[in-house]
């Protein structure tokens, strides 16, 4: 069996046991709290992990892109949620084809999106489930008020080929209570308008551990929880030793005592810091931080006792693992130093 020493750099390593433990921990939390788990596959983009998540108890998966959903459907995943406004003829046609082969649901936050959906889906015998997206504090997509949610829910309810599927939100990290109050009110206003709302879908790894059975939320869509990264560690979700994804890299230069250069730059680690200081840190070397990136060079600043030498191979924990996934053609599943399997990242680069 090959080992990590046989791999060229930069390359992605996934500690398989850690990823499995992260899946099990989240599923156990969801089960304890009566929540349905619907993991977001944008973090791994791999049917391999999507199947493991479903086998562990997830009710289905979440994809952000139709291309991701097509890959997952091809691999046999049968219940897919696309929490996205789908617009334009090309995408609507692909969505219709997908609806013919999996249990599908989508979101909308506007009349414009609903018009396209209603014109495409006309079969009352097999309606498309549409959830109304709500802006509960994130400031991204979503209707702004409970009344706005009711207005769209009514339109969905009236359209022959659509069915009102409930409410969806992507809450701002750290503001779960605000999201909860927003959704509880919307649920009440919907009920007063005679619209049952059985599914309320929320998501986001940082606040998952605060969700409970007292919540109006029925379904949770964590994504990053499977790999974790420096951002999630900063949010208290786990420790560096729970992070399953690292980027294996080689020290290619050491121009000064405190500066070493890696062969992983922004095209391997991404420059998405999610607001953190530094672009990554080295496993087992807390005083070595990736403080600068150009496309193919990562600048490591060494402090304290940290020492590196030219030719040494290191493992970088990135700030945001989901974008790193989308930068490599393949990932290597590892157990210690053994490479268990090398998998193509089947849904990488599928932006439409
Ligand atoms: C709509 C939606 N749901 C769920 C998630 C998962 O969030 P996280 O990666 O924090 O678990 C995201 C993340 O971007 C998202 O955009």
């Amino acid at each position: 069996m090959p080992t990590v020493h046989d791999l060229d750099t930069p390359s992605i390593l996934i500690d398989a046991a850690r990823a499995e433990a992260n899946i099990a921990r989240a599923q156990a939390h969801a089960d304890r709290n009566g929540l349905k788990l619907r993991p977001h596959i944008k973090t791994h983009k791999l049917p391999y992990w999507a199947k493991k998540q479903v086998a562990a108890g997830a009710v289905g998966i979440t994809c952000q892109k139709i291309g991701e959903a097509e890959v997952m459907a091809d691999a046999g995943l049968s219940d897919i949620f696309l929490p996205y406004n789908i617009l334009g003829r090309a995408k609507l046609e692909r969505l219709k084809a997908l609806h013919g082969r999996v249990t599908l649901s989508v979101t909308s936050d506007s009349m414009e999106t609903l018009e396209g959906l209603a014109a495409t889906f006309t079969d009352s015998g097999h309606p498309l489930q549409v959830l109304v997206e709500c802006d509960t504090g994130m400031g991204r997509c979503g209707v702004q008020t409970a009344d706005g949610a009711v207005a769209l829910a009514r339109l969905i309810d009236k359209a022959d080929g659509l069915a009102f599927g409930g409410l969806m939100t992507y809450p701002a990290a750290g503001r779960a209570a605000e999201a909860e109050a927003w959704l509880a009110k919307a649920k009440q206003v919907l009920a007063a308008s005679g619209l049952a709302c059985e599914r309320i879908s929320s998501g986001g790894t940082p606040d998952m551990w605060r969700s409970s059975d007292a919540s109006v939320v029925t379904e949770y869509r964590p994504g990053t929880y499977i790999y974790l990264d420096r951002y999630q560690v900063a949010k208290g979700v786990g420790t560096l030793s729970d992070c399953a994804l690292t980027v294996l890299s080689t020290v290619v230069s050491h121009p000064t005592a405190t500066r070493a250069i890696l062969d992983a730059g922004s095209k391997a680690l991404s420059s998405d810091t999610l607001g953190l200081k530094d672009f990554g840190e080295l496993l087992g070397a807390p005083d070595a931080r990736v403080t600068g990136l150009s496309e193919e060079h990562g600048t490591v600043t060494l402090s304290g006792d940290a020492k590196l030498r030219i030719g040494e191979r290191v493992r970088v924990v990135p700030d945001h693992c989901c974008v790193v996934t989308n930068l490599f053609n393949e990932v290597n599943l590892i157990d210690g130093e053994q490479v268990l399997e090398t998998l193509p990242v089947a849904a990488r680069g599928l932006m439409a």
Side-chain angles (χ1 to χ4, degrees), residues 45 68 71 325-330 345-351:
K45 290 178 172 267
E68 290 174 342
V71 165
T325 284
N326 199 48
L327 296 173
F328 285 79
N329 286 336
E330 54 190 30
V345 185
R348 81 158 289 220
L350 300 180
M351 291 300 140

Side-chain angles (χ1 to χ4, degrees), residues 168-182:
M168 170 266 167
T169 192
Y170 182 52
R175 285 161 63 189
E178 198 181 319
E180 179 71 25
W182 201 111

Side-chain angles (χ1 to χ4, degrees), residues 28-64:
H29 172 82
D31 291 346
R32 265 197 311 277
N33 290 287
L35 270 177
K36 291 176 176 157
L37 209 66
R38 186 181 281 280
H40 205 313
I41 63 82
K42 51 114 195 183
T43 303
H44 53 72
K45 290 178 172 267
L46 288 169
Y48 176 90
W49 287 123
K51 286 180 187 170
K52 294 242 178 201
Q53 288 167 317
V54 170
V59 292
I61 58 167
T62 305
C63 298
Q64 207 79 316

Side-chain angles (χ1 to χ4, degrees), residues 228-347:
L228 298 181
D229 51 27
R230 276 187 88 221
Y231 174 76
Q232 299 296 339
V233 172
K235 290 281 171 197
V237 177
T239 64
L240 274 191
S241 54
D242 297 315
C243 292
L245 181 149
T246 50
V247 177
L248 183 68
S249 173
T250 301
V251 178
V252 291
S253 172
H254 206 325
T256 75
T258 56
R259 188 196 328 145
I261 306 295
L262 304 179
D263 63 355
S266 61
K267 283 183 172 165
L269 295 172
S270 102
S271 37
D272 183 358
T273 62
L274 291 170
L276 297 183
K277 184 168 178 287
D278 304 329
F279 297 93
E281 67 189 84
L282 275 52
L283 216 54
D287 291 333
R289 297 290 165 100
V290 184
T291 53
L293 294 176
S294 43
E295 284 179 53
E296 306 298 359
H297 298 80
T299 301
V300 177
T301 300
L302 303 165
S303 61
D305 292 336
K307 290 208 169 22
L308 292 174
R309 51 182 175 70
I310 293 175
E312 186 173 347
R313 287 148 71 97
V314 296
R315 288 172 65 183
V316 182
V317 182
D319 290 350
H320 190 183
C321 63
C322 311
V323 277
V324 173
T325 284
N326 199 48
L327 296 173
F328 285 79
N329 286 336
E330 54 190 30
V331 298
N332 302 284
L333 301 189
I334 59 162
D335 172 10
E337 302 219 320
Q338 305 288 320
V339 177
L340 303 171
E341 219 172 326
T342 298
L343 300 172
V345 185

Side-chain angles (χ1 to χ4, degrees), residues 62-256:
T62 305
C63 298
Q64 207 79 316
K65 298 288 177 170
I66 299 183
E68 290 174 342
E70 287 166 343
V71 165
M72 295 296 153
D74 289 348
L77 278 302
S78 61
D79 190 331
I80 300 180
F81 182 30
L82 263 175
Y84 212 87
N85 283 289
I86 304 295
L87 288 154
R89 197 159 58 85
K91 285 197 175 69
L92 286 166
E93 274 168 17
R94 286 165 69 201
L95 195 68
K96 194 167 180 186
L98 207 51
H99 183 52
R101 60 193 185 118
V102 298
T103 302
L104 186 67
S105 46
V106 299
T107 56
S108 164
D109 70 355
S110 72
M111 300 248 297
E112 288 83 347
T113 303
L114 281 183
E115 274 162 19
L117 291 173
T120 309
F121 295 86
T122 50
D123 179 358
S124 57
H126 183 42
L128 176 70
Q129 295 283 322
V130 184
L131 286 76
V132 174
E133 179 162 4
C134 307
D135 179 3
T136 57
M138 173 73 172
R140 199 167 70 178
C141 300
V143 294
Q144 299 296 302
T145 61
D147 289 340
V150 172
L152 288 191
R154 279 215 179 93
L155 286 178
I156 297 167
D157 198 42
K158 276 196 203 125
D160 277 349
L162 306 181
F164 173 56
L167 300 176
M168 170 266 167
T169 192
Y170 182 52
R175 285 161 63 189
E178 198 181 319
E180 179 71 25
W182 201 111
L183 294 166
K185 181 176 175 209
K187 187 180 174 184
Q188 247 176 20
V189 180
L190 280 165
S193 315
L195 286 157
C197 178
E198 276 156 26
R199 181 172 166 201
I200 300 187
S201 179
S202 189
T205 297
D207 289 319
M208 178 163 60
W209 314 103
R210 280 182 269 279
S211 56
S212 73
D213 60 358
S215 167
V216 290
V217 170
T218 61
E219 167 182 292
Y220 211 83
R221 310 178 313 275
T224 319
Y225 79 105
I226 182 170
Y227 289 164
L228 298 181
D229 51 27
R230 276 187 88 221
Y231 174 76
Q232 299 296 339
V233 172
K235 290 281 171 197
V237 177
T239 64
L240 274 191
S241 54
D242 297 315
C243 292
L245 181 149
T246 50
V247 177
L248 183 68
S249 173
T250 301
V251 178
V252 291
S253 172
H254 206 325
T256 75

